[in-house]
Amino acid sequence: MEQYEPDRPSPAPSPARPSPVRGTALTRRSLLRASVGGVFAAGGAGALGACGIPPAGDARGAAAADDRSAQERTVSFSNWTEYMDVDESETRHPTLEAFTRQTGVQVEYSEDINDNNEFFAKIKPQLAAGQDTGRDLVCVTDWLAARMIRLGWAQKLDPSNLPTAYANLSAQFRSPDWDPGRAYSYPWTAISTVIAYNKKALDGIEVRSVSDLLDNPRLKGRVGMLTEMRDTMGMALLDMGKDPGDFTDDDYDAALARLQKAVDRGQIRRFTGNDYTADLTSGDFAACLAWAGDVVQLKADSPEIDFVVPDSGYLTSTDNLLVPAHARHKTNAERLIDHYYQPAMAARLAAYINYVCPVDGVKEELAAIAPDAAADPLILPDRAMAERSRAFRSLSDEEETAYEAKFAKLTGA
């Protein structure tokens, strides 16, 4: 089987929630800085039957390690908190149990990723020393995935073990600039940045764009921006008619200057992480940049909350599955990746975590377990919405340092 050719056609998608539904609006983002840990072994019979940095040309990936998959029927998977479906008891993971039932491979599942930088610091000494990290599969955000590939700390995937993933990966995510053709990674889910607003707090004010957020004097002191540089700067660049996937230093500085003017005028109340959700529901923020997965949950809890996708477009990033260098069970990890590209499994996962699903063909499966989710454009974007999605380009080490420093000065970090 050949690796995906980037010009080959195929459609695009997004997130939701089924039954059982989580009782609180906690997401992978909301727990980004929380204390996490613990290992949950998944196995046995279960429910659910069928179901950055430099340019990609510099990526080199790790040489294949000694694969013990055939002798050791196990796979160790590190993921973020609240980023896996659970049953009503909230102690079992149906899709992981389905994998064990179908393959006989036991999954050691650990929710030990709290922050990309923190997690990378944890595994970097072993990777740098050429040692096994104890993890066969990790889920990291695109810029860190790019870095690991560039450093040679991710193993090149074997397409013959990924027939379902190869066939069902949505066109929108098939060929990021940091991993053309997905030779080293597959997306777990995607995170879209949109504009969220509180209808009561707006009191008739129309918000359709980032320009509305930055320039409308009636919103002074009631606007929120994100502390994530790529999300805020990407949305600002789009609003100025620039492509976040292809911009210059001058473009970046112009977008930064525009935001600085809004800060100086007191237009922006503050820059936040996931805590914007409290400001938005309370009405302290009339409108703000927000992550779509959070908006899905906030809308379910409050009829005052809604969102808009600017005509200029919106930013989408991905969290990605990689096999670290020297992992002992690469084939088992590849089989687990492939498992989650079955539409039934992907639908069950998307319905729980509320983020964009990167798997084609999930709508029917999702509609069967969560009809509202299947109709939600923040979960399964239609073609028109998908075409407005843009990704922030890979950065060189020098750009990363310079851009983050300038952005930190803007936010007061």
Side-chain angles (χ1 to χ4, degrees), residues 104-392:
V105 175
Q106 297 287 331
V107 183
E108 296 177 7
Y109 184 67
S110 179
E111 296 182 329
D112 63 345
I113 302 180
N114 174 57
D115 173 89
N116 282 291
N117 284 315
E118 177 185 288
F119 181 69
F120 187 55
K122 187 189 303 183
I123 63 174
K124 181 178 178 181
Q126 293 159 299
L127 291 170
Q131 299 171 352
D132 177 18
T133 66
R135 299 164 177 85
D136 302 304
L137 194 63
V138 299
C139 182
V140 295
T141 304
D142 42 24
W143 63 265
L144 180 53
R147 177 179 292 176
M148 290 180 66
I149 293 168
R150 176 179 64 84
L151 292 171
W153 293 346
Q155 295 191 53
K156 191 169 186 176
L157 301 174
D158 182 351
S160 68
N161 293 326
L162 296 157
T164 308
Y166 174 84
N168 292 342
L169 176 59
S170 174
Q172 182 180 352
F173 306 106
R174 281 192 178 264
S175 199
D177 68 349
W178 48 270
D179 186 16
R182 291 287 180 180
Y184 297 92
S185 69
Y186 269 84
W188 176 248
T189 191
I191 304 162
S192 297
T193 305
V194 296
I195 295 173
Y197 57 86
N198 183 314
K199 287 180 270 191
K200 186 175 180 181
L202 280 180
D203 192 25
I205 302 171
E206 185 176 50
V207 171
R208 303 287 307 170
S209 67
V210 171
S211 287
D212 291 335
L213 297 182
L214 298 180
D215 300 335
N216 191 328
R218 295 173 65 192
L219 294 177
K220 183 176 179 178
R222 299 192 295 142
V223 169
M225 294 283 157
L226 294 166
T227 52
E228 295 274 348
M229 180 271 286
R230 287 168 176 80
D231 294 279
T232 293
M233 293 303 299
M235 292 294 282
L237 285 163
L238 280 168
D239 190 69
M240 297 173 68
K242 303 298 182 180
D243 183 356
D246 183 19
F247 64 89
T248 65
D249 288 349
D250 288 343
D251 295 334
Y252 184 91
D253 289 344
L256 198 74
R258 187 150 183 260
L259 288 166
Q260 186 65 62
K261 287 180 181 177
V263 169
D264 295 342
R265 289 197 317 270
Q267 185 78 3
I268 297 172
R269 184 183 183 91
R270 67 189 186 104
F271 291 80
T272 72
N274 194 83
D275 44 331
Y276 69 80
T277 56
D279 291 282
L280 189 61
T281 53
S282 71
D284 287 341
F285 284 167
C288 63
L289 295 185
W291 291 300
D294 293 342
V295 177
V296 172
Q297 294 182 5
L298 291 172
K299 283 180 63 179
D301 295 334
S302 172
E304 300 299 331
I305 305 302
D306 212 335
F307 77 99
V308 64
V309 176
D311 290 338
S312 60
Y314 65 102
L315 201 73
T316 301
S317 58
T318 53
D319 283 335
N320 307 273
L321 300 173
L322 285 85
V323 178
H326 309 290
R328 291 171 57 86
H329 309 106
K330 177 174 178 282
T331 298
N332 291 342
E334 290 165 340
R335 294 180 71 185
L336 185 56
I337 294 172
D338 202 59
H339 173 75
Y340 279 100
Y341 276 78
Q342 298 177 58
M345 297 297 170
R348 177 64 176 85
L349 180 67
Y352 183 79
I353 65 177
N354 298 333
Y355 283 99
V356 180
C357 174
V359 181
D360 278 342
V362 300
K363 189 161 189 173
E364 273 187 34
E365 299 285 351
L366 190 54
I369 58 176
D372 290 346
D376 194 326
L378 293 180
I379 288 150
L380 296 180
D382 57 23
R383 183 179 295 275
M385 183 169 172
E387 286 176 352
R388 282 190 279 168
S389 171
R390 296 292 181 269
F392 201 93

